[in-house]
Amino acid sequence: MKKVLIIIAGFLFLTLASCKKNFIEKIPTSTVSVDVLYKTDKDFQDAVTGCYNVLQTQYQNFWVFGDLPADDIEEDIPNHFEHIAFEQFTVNDRTATLETTWMNYYNLINRANTLLSKIESTDTAVVKNKNRHIGEAKFMRALAYFDLVRIYGDVPIVTGNLTIEQSYKTGREKTDKIYDDIIVKDLLDAEARLPVKYTGADIGRVTKGAVKAILGKVYLTRKDFVKAETKLQEVTTLGYALLPNYKDLFDYTKNEHHNEYIFDIEYEEGIGEGSNFTHAFVPAWITLTDFYGIKGGQAQSDGALTPGFYAAFDSADIRRNISVQYGITKNGVFMPIPTTTIQASKSYSLKYVTPVASGNDSRANWKVVRYADVLLMYAEALNENGKTDMALDYLKVVRVRAGLQGYTGLTKDDTREKIYLERRLELSLEGQRWFDLVRTGRAFTTLQAAGMKSYMTIFPIPLSQVQIINNPGIFAQNPGY
Amino acid sequence: MPIIACCKLFLSRKSLIKTMLIMKLTAAFLLIFCLNTAAKGYGQKLTLSETNSSLDKIFREIKKQTDYTFVYKENLIQNAKKVTIKISNAPVEQVLDICFQDQPFTYTILNKMIVIKEREIQTVVKKEQVVSLAYNVSGKVTSNKGEFLAGASITEKGANNTVVTREDGSFAIAVKNPNAFLVITFVGFESREVAVNNQPVINIVLVQANTNLNDVVVIGYGTQKRKDLTGSVASVGSKDIKDLAVPRVDQALIGKVAGVQVKPVSGEPGSPPQIRIRGIGSISAGAGPLYVVDGFPTTNIETLNPNDIESLDILKDASATAIYGSRGSNGVIIINTKRGKTGKPTISFDTYQGWQKTAKMPHFMNAQEQAQYYYDGIRNRNIDEGKDVSGPVTTWFRAVPQEALDVLSGKNTYDVDALGEVLRTAPQQQYQLTATGGSENVKYALSGEYFNQQGIVINSDFKRYSFRANIDAQLSKRLTVKVNVNPSFTSSRNVTAAGAGTGPNDGAIGQAMMVNPWYNLRNPDGSYFAFSGLAGSSNLTNPLALANELKASQNGIRLLGNINAEYKILNELKLNVLLGTNVMAGRGSRFKPQLPAFFNDPATGNDYSSMLTNWLTEYTLTYNKSFGKHNLSGLAGFTTQKEDFKSNTLTSNKYPNNLVPALSAVSGQITDGSSDAYQWSLISYLGRVNYNYKSKYYLTASIRTDGSSRFGSENKYGLFPSLALAWRISDENFLKSISFLSELKLRGSYGQTGNNNIGNYDQYATINYERYNLNGVAIGGFAPGRLANPSLTWEKQKQFNLGFDLSVLNRRISLTVDHFSSTNTDLLLSVNVPMTTGFSKALENIGEVKNTGWEFAVNTVNVKGDFEWTTDFNLSVFHNKVTKLGPQGDPIYVSGNVTMIGQPIGMFYGFINDGVFKNQAELAKGPIFSPGSSVQTRVGDSRFRDISGPNGKPDGIINSLDQTIMGSPYPDFYYGMSNRFAYKNISVSVSLQGSQGNKVLSISRLGTLNTRGRVRQLASANAYWKSEQDPGDGQVPRPNDAPTGNNREPWNSRYLDYGTYLRINNINLAYTIPSKISDKLKVHSLRFYVSITNPFLFTKNESFNPDVSNSDDALTPGIDNNNYPLMKSLVLGLNLSF
């Protein structure tokens, strides 16, 4: 017995010792190393999905930039400190939303950069949709930079995978350079690569029309009205049209990929892909949420519509009742939102109201750009280029859908004001108002009373980044903050 | 392929273990069975009639008539004389005395076992008698507990004349004269000197020595006598654990050991205390110790039965822990379980029954006070907004909720104690059956346990069924095999208690703390009240519904087992082979139904299962030899361990109704699912040399090399050396003359250890799985998940230790003092990197932390004799300091904690509250928060300390620059004390422990002190500012429905609660039935005890438990997040053995 044991022990000892080299090499089995991927067409398609995924995260909060600082809505929930800071112009370099936003966009840029660098050397025989993948990635990279410069001003340019060492030396670049070198270039490239339409499971991807529309917006933002006019005109030739009923734009039980749709951030309920818009824009009044079939009672309206916004509407404007509601009408009886202390907001918009089974799991998409926006941008470009009559024609298309008459015989300056107003009424709570005010130089005058200072057209860079890079020469805080 | 070879080997070894286990277990069971059936008719008298019979025959006869057995060496009774005996109804002893009268051997009775030995004593006595001395003295030697001491030496002082006591403690000695002195010595007892003084009979009582010098201390891969220790090792024995009725082994360590901070952070059944040995040496890689259970390193000791534990040895300094290499730097706790002893089987039954309730409750405003507070808060909001409040309340712009008005008018008289509805008095019980015994060749200890602890939060509990078989078999002269098998099953129902004090969540305690008292938790129809969309309350989840309806349970099955073969190659050289395994399988499920009280969210459920297998092989050679005055022992070893884990979770929110919580109800519509898998492996070589000269000068050196799958490719192996020196200076001649000095030993050590909890694959850049949806359909995708770090390595610790052990006055007072200083480098940190990399964090070995500390342990024997009183006291101090962080040294902020260079890890960070602005004049002096905005500071708001401004100087404005360190989660010192009193059969012990100077950051107070009436406020907030004329206590700001003046901006010192406390953590009273009575009852011993846990607590803390700590994360220590309350308990216990 004992001899047997000794032999066994000795044998085990020797064999184990010989195993040792492999014994301490273990590679992950429930995930893989990055290097094994980015080979097949499916890999790249999946990597594109990874990019869309960031947009889906970031655009849950896009209204915090696009609408909250502007004059259409106000935050009335006293303990939503961050939101109050955006509304009252007290954001600072520690405001968490500013840091997560910075992170989201550079995360998206890194994902796109990784994809673009890996796809370069692949063969189209293997990666059949190479053009589409590149087009989608470049569009999203451009959109990320477009949002970045509009939110932060100058930001670092990253077009490859930065090592940690390089990242410390990568400073902020001028906005103009970013527009020229990245945004416009990427969009032009994407425009050439992407199809006008998708079918079946690909519906929802970026189209040629989406690229042109965003490019038009970029030119408009840079006041390059000639290029804007050309590009936006091209969009009008792609078969888009306004929906007959304004209301249908916000009926999420119907197909959201209709004629007016150009590019949405897609959300879907029940599969962990829902958006928070319904809950974010509905008051916590249980009678109301029950009325609309909104479950998951943590609804807390962050965005009550301001009296000034309501007053801006013509009483005949059918958009008014969709954009501003003060209560519900049940069995023919109107019930105003009660004056409770819990729900501070006295008004809400119907734009994101849809039955929802659980909190923050709404199927409502976020509209990045839709055809009415394009028409109004086109009108604006035409007007700036001296084609006021043509501009009024396009403006009329939008107004007629809203149950209004077109304008006639306005001056260029009056037309400009009317277009601006139309944008406000048509596109409220769709992430446009603040950027329109800034783009057209009216932000400070409009919002001075709300606490805005003249330097606040851009937000501060996150303090964490300033501290980490710790080099004011290449990475200074925005003036004023 | 070596890997395949390995696998095959593992397999064959596994089946080998299995076969051997089955063999041994079967043998053990048979043995027990036989012994038990034989055990009938205790204490029977004997009737014998034998003429010239062999002893053998008589023994057989005795065995037949009684339950006694005989133990002796085979050839011993060959020379026995024949015996003639005629006796009836006589006790066994009488019969034996007759039988052994003229035999060359004698006997002792131990536990109904008659041990036969050669009659050495008689020969000694005879030899001395030859000298023919003048005076004969006889007597008996007994212990202070009344046991006869056999083998004690009686020496005539100044003469070469010694006798040894017989088995019954009796002796007879002839001395030179009637005035001689006798010196009586016995191992483990204090020596005595007695003057004969003409007495022919002297009975001597020896008192058990208060020395643990010869106690065996378990160290890594071996044992040592306490006397020979060079490192800092503390021990807690079964005696200290026995009567505490602790559900878990580690809870027995609370307050017991210097340098070991054990915090009962939660009262959840089955939950572990938080253990920190010598400070905090890691920021993000875990600071808990390594456990070694019967030689098997593991991190989970939940399934161990505390009654099975023989000893807990805590290795503190690096000289002791370095033998555990890359797992040693947080300290090591070695747990050994009880083993069988030679002798007749002892069967014991132990049980206790207990009742637990919440140890300490927070105090809240009553309904009236709360309603008034709400009213005032709305009023203040109206005033702040410039609205008129001079008219009746119904005309105010901001309405006071009707619920509050109803309470104030007396229309609503509810004053619901929501905490009372989710808390209860909960029973706990344990039953255990143990059998130990064995022959010289096979010894066994078997135990089976059932433990059931109901939680003090309704619907929570923990049950454990465990079994243990420890078998020691001497297979041949040279080969010994030990087998330990410990299967267990645990089952628990869990209620989530913790939850932030800010809004709806699943924390039953958190929600119960916040619901306003004017709502009944149930509607008149019995359904749960929904705290949703109410004017008089924030949206909250009904706590009673959470505790009752959110079903979560976990089951675990575990087998911890090992087999250890020791082969004596030479007398000095032994080979040990240890093969061990830890197999765990867990299942869990959770179901949250759809209820209005849960905001009608769809019902969701999940199902979780996991499987863990861990294998250990260990080969060690030990060598022990003395060369004259040189004593040498050595150890060399090779060990490997690997772990494999797999788990999966399935989730669905597609339940058709609340009736069936199982996932089968969702018709296959699983909405989320994932699986996880990891492996790690470790391969190590170790060695140690212990040398001493004359047991005076000691040297210990050890070394270990660890190779680990967790280490990056550039750092595959680590080396962990240590060295220790000790000098038992009390053995030096120049100190021998100091009579009061019993022992003085100086110790010094240095060593390097590591912490390898750095994640299993964190060196690799892996991908994350991501999702998007196109056209309403979810599609999968991926993205880079993190940056690679091929140089990722273990965290390193270097530690110095200096200490001494001092005993004086015959060891009545012992003192151990240690001072340590450790530096932990290469700490794993998720450092902030520029986000332009695409990531906000990267894992690097970059941090550095220093810990220094002092440990004092005093043990005294205050009174000796029939009445005995001993005291153990310990006190520890440590200072923790971060010396290095990320590349720029930027602080790590995590909610209200900050980790910054020059400060301890995880200090509390925020604004410092400086009372309230009592009037306009005070306000005018500032500083003011957010001047010009709607939330600017007003009279009645908190004043915060103006720490700094944009120019580095106070600027009269409160903003983020005024945040600073506002408190520490670490005590100035912590301490523990146990007093034990024993008188005859009664013993009493009282243990206390405490902590001084630390704070707790209460996330709970974000609700309970948030200045809004929408959630329930602590009673202490009643002293709030009401008006300039009635400013309250000057500390509590005014209520305000829309808080102004930074009163709620995340963190300020109002949210710090006290961590200082003194707790009587156990009082125990035990009574052993005197042997006269137990003999009559025909039992071996019978003992009753009462144990009261946490009866008294002295503290200013306003919550449940000053020891609370929401997470184990070193970055966020001392957070109170409405965690599961701690209980006090009363336990009645019984120990019965046959």
Side-chain angles (χ1 to χ4, degrees), chain A residues 12 19-20 23-24 31-34 46 53 56 103 106 111 168 200 266 271 296-297 341-342 357-358 465 468, chain B residues 6 378 399 534 539 599 601-602 619 681 683 709 716 765-767 770-773 775 782-783 835 838 888 1014:
Chain A
L12 284 176
C19 291
K20 71 176 191 190
F23 189 75
I24 54 169
T31 176
V32 292
S33 163
V34 166
D46 288 352
N53 168 271
Q56 195 188 43
M103 182 64 239
Y106 277 102
R111 289 179 182 193
Y168 282 106
E266 309 266 328
I271 52 171
T341 47
I342 298 301
S358 74
Q465 301 306 295
I468 291 165
Chain B
C6 277
I378 300 283
L534 299 168
N539 278 357
F599 310 108
D601 275 341
Y619 306 85
S681 51
I683 191 163
S709 63
K716 224 48 196 163
T766 51
I767 60 145
E770 305 284 12
R771 256 197 325 198
Y772 190 55
N773 59 295
N775 212 10
F782 66 81
M835 292 177 182
Q888 268 66 44
R1014 297 164 182 218

Side-chain angles (χ1 to χ4, degrees), chain A residues 1-2 5-6 8-9 11-13 15-20 22-35 37-38 42-44 46-47 49-53 56 76 78-79 81 88 90 92-94 99 102-103 106-107 110-111 114 156 158 162-164 167-168 170 200-205 255 257 263-268 270-273 284-286 295-300 339-342 344 346 357-359 361 365 464-465 467-470, chain B residues 1-3 6 9-10 13 16 20 374 378 381 397-399 401 475-476 479 504 532-535 537-539 567 575 577 579 594 599-602 617 619 638 640-642 653-654 671 675-683 685 707-709 716-717 761 764-767 769-785 787 832-840 842 844 887-888 890 893 909 930 933-934 960 963 1012 1014 1041-1043 1048-1049:
Chain A
M1 178 85 175
K2 68 190 183 193
L5 276 176
I6 295 167
I8 291 173
F11 182 63
L12 284 176
F13 187 88
T15 5
L16 268 176
S18 72
C19 291
K20 71 176 191 190
N22 292 322
F23 189 75
I24 54 169
E25 296 291 341
K26 302 278 179 211
I27 54 161
T29 51
S30 55
T31 176
V32 292
S33 163
V34 166
D35 300 331
L37 285 165
Y38 299 98
K42 176 70 166 53
D43 286 350
F44 286 103
D46 288 352
T49 304
C51 296
Y52 280 115
N53 168 271
Q56 195 188 43
D76 275 350
N79 63 338
F81 304 116
Q88 301 189 350
T90 56
N92 60 43
D93 53 11
R94 286 207 177 183
E99 187 174 281
W102 182 274
M103 182 64 239
Y106 277 102
N107 187 10
N110 181 56
R111 289 179 182 193
T114 307
V158 184
L162 282 190
T163 63
I164 293 174
S167 69
Y168 282 106
T170 307
D202 290 323
I203 291 173
R205 294 185 183 280
N255 182 9
H257 304 112
F263 183 62
D264 281 4
I265 305 300
E266 309 266 328
Y267 297 95
E268 188 57 49
I271 52 171
E273 298 287 291
W285 176 32
I286 203 150
K295 303 240 169 82
Q298 299 176 42
Q300 285 209 34
T339 318
T340 69
T341 47
I342 298 301
K346 300 295 175 292
S358 74
D361 191 30
N365 280 358
S464 66
Q465 301 306 295
Q467 284 178 339
I468 291 165
I469 292 170
N470 195 22
Chain B
M1 248 318 263
I3 278 209
C6 277
L9 266 168
F10 269 106
R13 197 186 313 155
L16 173 73
M20 295 195 67
Y374 205 156
I378 300 283
R381 182 175 182 182
F397 176 74
R398 298 276 176 194
L475 299 184
S476 75
L479 183 63
S532 171
L534 299 168
S537 170
S538 284
N539 278 357
Y567 184 75
L575 169 68
V577 179
L579 307 174
Q594 180 163 25
F599 310 108
N600 270 324
D601 275 341
T617 65
Y619 306 85
F638 163 69
T640 63
Q641 191 170 9
K642 77 167 185 177
N653 56 14
K654 300 288 185 191
T671 48
S675 67
D676 184 26
Y678 72 74
Q679 283 189 311
W680 58 258
S681 51
L682 185 70
I683 191 163
Y685 302 88
S708 169
S709 63
K716 224 48 196 163
Y717 285 88
Y761 304 114
Y764 300 106
T766 51
I767 60 145
Y769 297 98
E770 305 284 12
R771 256 197 325 198
Y772 190 55
N773 59 295
L774 288 173
N775 212 10
V777 179
I779 52 165
F782 66 81
L787 298 158
N832 292 319
V833 294
M835 292 177 182
T836 44
T837 55
F839 302 92
S840 58
E844 288 182 32
Q888 268 66 44
D890 28 313
Y893 299 95
Y909 187 79
S930 199
S933 81
S934 66
S960 62
Q963 295 178 83
R1012 302 172 93 193
R1014 297 164 182 218
D1041 193 55
R1048 291 181 66 212
E1049 251 313 291

Side-chain angles (χ1 to χ4, degrees), chain B residues 917-926 928 936-940 1025 1028:
Chain B
F917 289 110
K918 292 205 269 295
N919 49 50
Q920 200 60 50
E922 284 188 16
L923 182 68
K925 290 182 201 148
I928 305 292
Q936 97 166 48
T937 310
R938 293 168 169 84
V939 178
W1025 184 96
E1028 296 204 4

Side-chain angles (χ1 to χ4, degrees), chain A residues 241-251 254-255 258-260 318-319 322 367 370 372 397-398 400-403 426:
Chain A
L242 296 188
L243 286 185
N245 290 320
Y246 186 70
K247 196 175 77 178
D248 290 347
L249 279 169
F250 310 103
D251 184 346
K254 295 188 175 149
N255 182 9
H258 39 63
N259 285 340
E260 192 169 338
I318 59 173
R319 293 172 302 196
I322 289 154
K367 297 166 178 63
R370 59 181 169 96
V397 179
V398 176
V400 166
R401 200 245 318 246
E426 174 72 24

